[in-house]
Amino acid sequence: MKRSREVEKGSEIEAAIKELSMLIELKPTGDNLDSATAVHIPTRLFLNVCNLVIQVLDKIGPTMAVLRQDIYQNIQRLEMLCDSDPPMYTNLVEILKKEANEGNARKGASCSKAFVWLARSLDFTVALLERLAADPGQKMEQLVEESYNITLKPWHGWISAAAYKVSLKLLPDNKTFINLLMPKDETYDTLKEHMQTFISLLVPFLEEIHSILKLYGLDRLKST
């Protein structure tokens, strides 16, 4: 998988909608959906969505460099494991289970920790796009700060929090960001519709992910 997936037509958000739709189609059905063993999160498709989120964050510019790098490194960590034995690591839940059984889930640069931070980065993206769709006239600094405060800040130590505070000074204005998100000849109304569709698909998926992380005791992990 390449560092970022090229979007030939449409926006990164549209491409992410397609990936999320595929995730939903691949969800198992049956009588055991409440069982953790029945949960299936396809590794490749999840990482595809994360790669597309990187491209969305790129539109904000250098202010998102810290978050972007975190996402990219975590994607790489999971990709390397997946590439080492593709049939074994097609399901992210199996990766969590394996590291939990080995006692490595919370240690060092584990894939479980990478998954935690990717999920939180998606939380941030949802919060940002929700606010942008609800109030496109709101200042970008306020949009990003509010989104950061409710999704990432509770889990960041003072070093990470300080880095994000500095980055807020480099934000583009909201009009510039919206224009960068829109493909050529697309209207804001269409972009808003796509953002709302993306959010509606991603939120329940994230809820499922956070339930799994809680089950494995990974929901309270913090950084420095």
Side-chain angles (χ1 to χ4, degrees), residues 6 15 156 176:
E6 295 297 328
H156 276 169
T176 298

Side-chain angles (χ1 to χ4, degrees), residues 59-77:
K59 310 288 187 184
I60 304 178
T63 186
M64 289 290 101
V66 175
L67 179 58
R68 187 199 193 286
Q69 185 63 17
D70 284 347
I71 296 172
Y72 178 59
Q73 288 176 345
N74 289 324
I75 289 172
Q76 276 195 315
R77 198 182 307 166

Side-chain angles (χ1 to χ4, degrees), residues 2-220:
K2 297 180 181 179
R3 176 172 177 169
S4 62
R5 303 184 61 188
E6 295 297 328
V7 181
E8 295 180 359
K9 294 182 180 180
S11 68
E12 293 81 7
I13 293 174
E14 287 178 83
I17 288 171
K18 292 178 182 178
E19 298 288 350
L20 287 166
S21 298
M22 290 177 66
L23 278 169
I24 292 170
E25 289 175 7
L26 291 173
K27 281 180 67 66
T29 59
D31 297 330
N32 297 319
L33 290 180
D34 291 334
S35 170
T37 59
V39 176
H40 184 80
I41 301 173
T43 305
R44 292 295 186 186
L45 286 176
F46 175 78
L47 295 177
N48 289 349
V49 173
C50 293
N51 269 308
L52 288 163
V53 165
I54 283 182
Q55 295 182 54
V56 171
L57 295 177
D58 280 344
K59 310 288 187 184
I60 304 178
T63 186
M64 289 290 101
V66 175
L67 179 58
R68 187 199 193 286
Q69 185 63 17
D70 284 347
I71 296 172
Y72 178 59
Q73 288 176 345
N74 289 324
I75 289 172
Q76 276 195 315
R77 198 182 307 166
L78 285 165
E79 282 181 342
M80 288 177 64
L81 181 65
C82 191
D83 290 342
S84 70
D85 192 341
M88 179 177 288
Y89 300 120
T90 57
N91 183 4
L92 275 165
V93 179
E94 292 302 317
I95 296 174
L96 297 183
K97 187 186 300 181
K98 178 179 182 293
E99 292 191 341
N101 291 337
E102 294 171 349
N104 297 324
R106 301 172 65 89
K107 296 180 180 178
S110 72
C111 287
S112 296
K113 289 168 71 174
F115 185 35
V116 169
W117 285 104
L118 286 174
R120 289 172 179 170
S121 298
L122 292 177
D123 289 336
F124 169 82
T125 305
V126 166
L128 179 62
L129 294 180
E130 281 180 333
R131 282 158 177 73
L132 186 64
D135 185 3
Q138 190 175 4
K139 291 184 178 179
M140 275 297 293
E141 182 175 346
Q142 187 175 354
L143 289 171
V144 172
E145 188 169 16
E146 287 180 358
S147 303
Y148 172 73
N149 285 345
I150 65 171
T151 57
L152 293 170
K153 186 177 180 179
W155 314 112
H156 276 169
W158 71 270
I159 295 175
S160 299
Y164 279 91
K165 193 168 185 64
V166 171
S167 72
L168 289 174
K169 302 181 185 300
L170 304 172
L171 288 167
D173 61 78
N174 58 337
K175 184 177 180 180
T176 298
F177 180 51
I178 289 170
N179 287 338
L180 289 170
L181 285 178
M182 289 190 297
K184 187 177 180 181
D185 300 327
E186 183 174 278
T187 65
Y188 173 73
D189 286 341
T190 303
L191 173 64
K192 181 177 179 179
E193 181 180 337
H194 289 155
M195 288 192 292
Q196 290 171 333
T197 301
F198 173 72
I199 292 164
S200 69
L201 292 172
L202 186 53
V203 166
F205 180 52
L206 283 170
E207 288 174 352
E208 184 176 51
I209 287 175
H210 286 298
S211 294
I212 291 296
L213 293 177
K214 186 175 182 178
L215 180 67
Y216 284 92
L218 297 167
D219 56 316
R220 311 298 294 178

